[in-house]
């Protein structure tokens, strides 16, 4: 490939979010370049987060207006209407529940996508940190073995070869090569600070992501519980359950708008980084990394030379030269100075281990490994992470709107339940045909009252009626069976639903028109029917 930079292209939604207007607290336009340490840029993100507070205020104003309209413009129910028409409320509740369930599904997907993106970021950071830590350990180990181990062996060989100037010259040449190795290893960048920064960023990101994921998970579960409780409250007509649901809906409404504000601000900030990540990283590492080193790992282009290649080459050549010198001394000096064999073999072992470390350093310092971790981190954050944040913002918006509608439904249901209870309690106690639940004294005179239905059915054919047979004054007429049962079950206004003894018919409920007909009876009709209907 010509340039590895073609492996990463910022997605279109990051450019869309990057073009969001950025304003500080003075409402002055701010550059959208990612600069988290800049005060004006921080203010622009805070203003974006305040969009959730604006939405919450608008929702509360809407609910307040709805309550005012509900209290002031409520229609009086007709007295003959026993069941108000709740079809519209039912459909609104169903649609609201479906919207909430759909929003919860979107939220679960967005939460999973964001978590996957952050996990890929932290995994890449830990992997890059492990690579840098390995490089740092190998450099430190190689320098230590050359500076201490080889130096001690050379000092003892100086004492052994004190009488042989040619051997001493070979040792001085080896010291020169050892100095070259130490100097070139010291020229490699000190990445201790880089390692600490990467580890700290990864740990803080993991900690924040865990609580972010857990918070959204609890919010999603809360919305599902609210939907189920809403269905149960409508089925049971429980005012206590509706009050409880109302409290949880208000809590979820506040959390939804808050999550919308924070999610939007986070998505815009991350998108600002994703549009131009290289510039930000170069500025952050300029204190301990040169620009050519940073560009080498960020772009990993074949057109860019390896900044460590010269140092590694010098180390390789110096080690090879020292190996040749050790081989010559082992061949020619050991027969003359047998005691020098131990130090020469010790130097040879140290040179072999150092050469192996230099080969590993050459592989680790190649840009392909760290650049792959860099691309994986960018893809995780800018693709999965930002996409998940957008889905979570959509969830928050849908849930907030649906929960506002659900509160309106709860308010309307509350008023309907109150109207229905008021209708059940609205009984005319002066109606002589009411069961009179609070009167338990038995009236022998009123026990002879005929059923009003019988009177109405015979009102049109009075000519065919014959006066009832007169009973003797000494005989006592037993009260009708339903009157005895009315005294037994009279404490319940709906006593007509109680099964009767011997399958008798209960006294029916009477309409106002029937009562008017009863009160309009003439004296002749009273004489005809007797005093049975008089109160």
């Amino acid at each position: 490939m010509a340039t590895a930079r073609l492996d990463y292209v910022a997605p279109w939604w990051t450019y869309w979010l990057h073009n969001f207007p950025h304003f500080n607290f003075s409402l002055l336009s701010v550059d959208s370049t990612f600069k988290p340490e800049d005060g004006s840029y921080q203010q622009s993100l805070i203003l974006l987060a305040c969009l959730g507070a604006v939405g919450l205020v608008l929702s509360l104003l809407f609910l307040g207006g709805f309550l005012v309209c509900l209290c002031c413009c409520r229609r009086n129910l007709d007295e003959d209407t026993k069941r108000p028409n709740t079809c519209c409320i039912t459909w609104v509740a169903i649609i609201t529940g479906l919207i909430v369930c759909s929003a919860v599904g979107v939220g679960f997907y967005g939460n999973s996508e964001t978590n996957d993106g952050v996990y890929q970021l932290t995994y890449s950071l830990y992997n890059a940190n492990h690579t840098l830590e390995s490089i740092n350990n190998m450099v430190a180990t190689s320098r230590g073995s050359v500076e201490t181990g080889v130096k001690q062996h050379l000092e003892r060989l100086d004492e052994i070869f004190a009488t042989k100037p040619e051997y001493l010259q070979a040792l001085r040449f080896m010291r020169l090569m050892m100095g070259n190795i130490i100097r070139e290893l010291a020229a490699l960048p000190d990445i201790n600070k880089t390692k600490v920064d990467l580890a700290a960023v990864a740990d803080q990101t993991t900690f924040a992501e865990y609580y972010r994921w857990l918070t959204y998970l609890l919010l999603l579960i809360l919305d599902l519980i609210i939907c189920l409780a809403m269905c149960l409250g409508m089925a049971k007509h429980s005012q206590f359950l509706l009050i409880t649901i109302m409290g949880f809906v208000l809590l979820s409404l506040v959390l939804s708008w808050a999550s919308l504000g924070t999610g939007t601000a986070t998505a815009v900030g991350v998108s600002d980084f994703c549009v131009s990540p290289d510039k930000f990283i170069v500025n952050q590492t300029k204190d301990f990394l040169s620009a050519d080193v940073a560009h080498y790992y960020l772009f990993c282009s074949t057109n860019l030379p390896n900044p460590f290649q010269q140092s590694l080459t010098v180390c390789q050549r110096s080690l090879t030269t020292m190996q040749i010198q050790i081989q010559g001394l082992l061949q020619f000096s050991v027969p003359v100075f047998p005691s020098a064999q131990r130090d020469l073999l010790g130097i040879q072992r140290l040179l072999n281990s150092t050469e192996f470390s230099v080969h590993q350093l050459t592989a680790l310092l190649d840009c392909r490994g760290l650049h792959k971790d860099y691309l994986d981190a960018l893809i995780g954050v800018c693709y999965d992470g930002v996409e998940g944040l957008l889905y979570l913002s959509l969830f928050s918006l849908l849930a907030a709107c649906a929960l506002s509608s659900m509160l309106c439904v709860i308010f309307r249901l509350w008023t309907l339940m109150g109207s229905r209870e008021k209708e059940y309690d609205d009984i005319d106690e002066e109606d002589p045909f009411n069961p009179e639940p609070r009167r338990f004294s038995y009236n022998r005179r009123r026990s002879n009252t005929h059923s009003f239905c019988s009177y109405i059915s015979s009102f049109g054919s009075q000519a065919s009626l014959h006066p009832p047979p007169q009973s003797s004054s000494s005989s006592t007429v037993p009260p009708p069976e339903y009157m005895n049962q009315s005294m037994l079950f009279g404490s319940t206004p709906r006593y007509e639903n109680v099964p009767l003894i011997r399958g008798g018919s209960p006294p029916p409920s009477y309409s106002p028109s029937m009562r008017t007909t009863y009160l309009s009876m003439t004296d002749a009709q009273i004489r005809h029917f007797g005093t049975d209907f008089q109160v």
Side-chain angles (χ1 to χ4, degrees), residues 266-504:
T266 305
V268 171
V270 175
S271 298
D272 293 339
F273 167 78
C274 292
V275 168
S276 181
D278 306 326
K279 183 178 179 181
F280 173 75
I281 294 176
V282 170
N283 292 331
Q284 292 295 315
T285 58
K286 63 183 179 181
D287 294 334
F288 52 89
L289 283 181
S290 60
D292 58 341
V293 174
H295 283 89
Y296 173 70
Y297 287 107
L298 293 177
F299 297 97
C300 196
S301 172
T302 55
N303 299 326
L304 296 176
N306 188 345
F308 309 114
Q309 187 62 47
Q310 183 178 357
S311 298
L312 295 173
T313 302
V314 171
C315 289
Q316 288 284 357
R317 292 176 179 176
S318 300
L319 288 171
T320 303
T321 303
M322 293 181 68
Q323 289 281 14
I324 294 173
Q325 295 294 324
I326 293 296
Q327 288 292 338
L329 291 175
L330 284 173
Q331 183 178 0
F332 297 105
S333 65
V334 169
V336 181
F337 303 98
S339 59
Q341 183 178 8
R342 178 181 176 184
D343 292 312
L344 291 174
L345 292 177
I347 293 175
Q348 190 178 42
R349 286 193 298 269
L350 291 174
L351 292 177
N352 289 334
S353 63
T354 304
E355 188 174 7
F356 179 74
S357 297
V358 170
H359 283 296
Q360 286 185 319
L361 277 174
T362 303
L364 291 174
L365 290 173
D366 187 78
C367 67
R368 287 173 292 182
L370 289 175
H371 184 70
K372 180 181 181 301
D373 295 331
Y374 172 65
L375 289 180
D376 290 341
L378 285 180
I379 292 174
V381 172
C382 302
Y383 280 82
D384 295 339
V386 178
E387 182 184 7
L389 289 175
L390 287 176
Y391 279 111
L392 288 176
S393 299
L394 178 61
F395 150 72
S396 300
L397 181 60
L398 291 176
C401 296
L403 291 173
S404 300
S405 301
M406 187 176 291
L407 281 175
C408 296
V409 172
I410 293 175
F411 294 153
R412 182 58 179 162
L413 286 175
W414 182 271
T415 57
L416 289 179
M417 288 182 181
S419 300
R420 185 172 299 173
E421 290 181 358
K422 182 178 180 181
E423 178 188 352
Y424 288 161
D425 295 336
D426 190 11
I427 299 176
D428 189 2
E429 296 184 358
E430 295 181 359
D431 191 346
F433 305 104
N434 279 340
E436 299 184 17
R438 296 178 180 83
R439 299 176 185 177
F440 296 98
S441 61
Y442 175 68
N443 190 339
R444 182 179 301 275
R445 181 185 176 187
R446 294 187 61 179
S447 67
N448 295 329
T449 305
H450 294 293
S451 173
F452 192 56
C453 285
S454 301
Y455 163 72
I456 291 298
S457 62
S458 61
F459 188 76
S461 56
Q462 297 178 10
S464 61
L465 293 177
H466 300 283
Q470 300 293 330
S471 58
S472 62
S473 61
S474 62
S475 62
T476 302
V477 179
E481 183 178 353
Y482 77 86
M483 290 301 295
N484 295 331
Q485 293 176 0
S486 68
M487 290 188 298
L488 292 175
F489 302 99
S491 59
T492 303
R494 297 290 179 180
Y495 71 95
E496 297 95 329
N497 297 328
V498 181
L500 299 176
I501 303 173
R502 290 197 290 267

Side-chain angles (χ1 to χ4, degrees), residues 76-296:
N76 295 325
L77 298 176
D78 185 57
E79 60 179 1
D80 292 335
T81 304
K82 295 185 178 182
R83 283 190 180 273
N85 187 12
T86 60
C87 180
C88 180
I89 301 176
T90 303
W91 277 109
V92 171
I94 292 174
I95 294 174
T96 302
L98 291 177
I99 293 176
V100 172
C101 292
S102 301
V104 168
V106 173
F108 272 113
Y109 177 76
N111 200 30
S112 177
E113 283 291 301
T114 304
N115 185 258
D116 291 342
V118 175
Y119 174 78
Q120 189 171 351
L121 168 66
T122 55
Y123 179 81
S124 300
L125 288 176
Y126 283 125
N127 194 23
N129 179 71
H130 177 71
T131 301
L132 296 176
E133 187 177 13
S134 300
I135 293 173
N136 187 69
N137 292 334
M138 287 182 182
V139 171
T141 302
S142 300
R143 289 183 59 182
S145 63
V146 172
E147 287 180 343
T148 58
V150 175
K151 184 178 181 180
Q152 292 176 358
H153 288 295
L154 289 177
E155 289 177 352
R156 284 194 293 266
L157 288 175
D158 283 338
E159 297 176 357
I160 295 173
F161 297 150
T163 59
K164 290 290 183 177
E166 60 275 14
Y167 294 158
L168 293 176
Q169 185 178 1
L171 294 179
R172 285 193 296 270
F173 184 74
M174 291 176 62
R175 283 192 176 91
L176 180 61
M177 295 297 102
M178 185 181 68
N180 292 335
I181 295 173
I182 294 174
R183 184 177 65 252
E184 297 301 331
L185 290 177
L188 296 177
D190 185 10
I191 54 179
N192 282 322
K193 189 174 182 180
T194 305
K195 179 195 68 174
V196 172
D197 288 343
L198 287 180
V201 170
D203 292 339
Q204 293 174 3
T205 304
T206 302
F207 178 81
E209 169 58 20
Y210 172 74
Y211 285 101
R212 184 211 62 79
W213 174 84
L214 182 61
T215 302
Y216 270 103
L217 181 63
L218 294 178
L219 181 58
L220 293 168
I221 294 175
L222 176 62
D223 288 344
L224 287 179
I225 293 176
I226 287 174
C227 287
L228 296 177
M230 183 67 181
C231 296
L232 183 62
M234 292 182 65
K236 296 293 184 179
H237 300 285
S238 173
Q239 291 184 346
F240 173 77
L241 188 57
L242 287 179
I243 293 176
T244 305
I245 296 172
M246 191 184 305
F248 282 106
V249 169
L250 286 174
L251 174 63
S252 181
L253 181 65
V254 174
L255 293 177
S256 296
W257 283 116
S259 64
L260 177 62
T262 56
T264 302
T266 305
V268 171
V270 175
S271 298
D272 293 339
F273 167 78
C274 292
V275 168
S276 181
D278 306 326
K279 183 178 179 181
F280 173 75
I281 294 176
V282 170
N283 292 331
Q284 292 295 315
T285 58
K286 63 183 179 181
D287 294 334
F288 52 89
L289 283 181
S290 60
D292 58 341
V293 174
H295 283 89
Y296 173 70

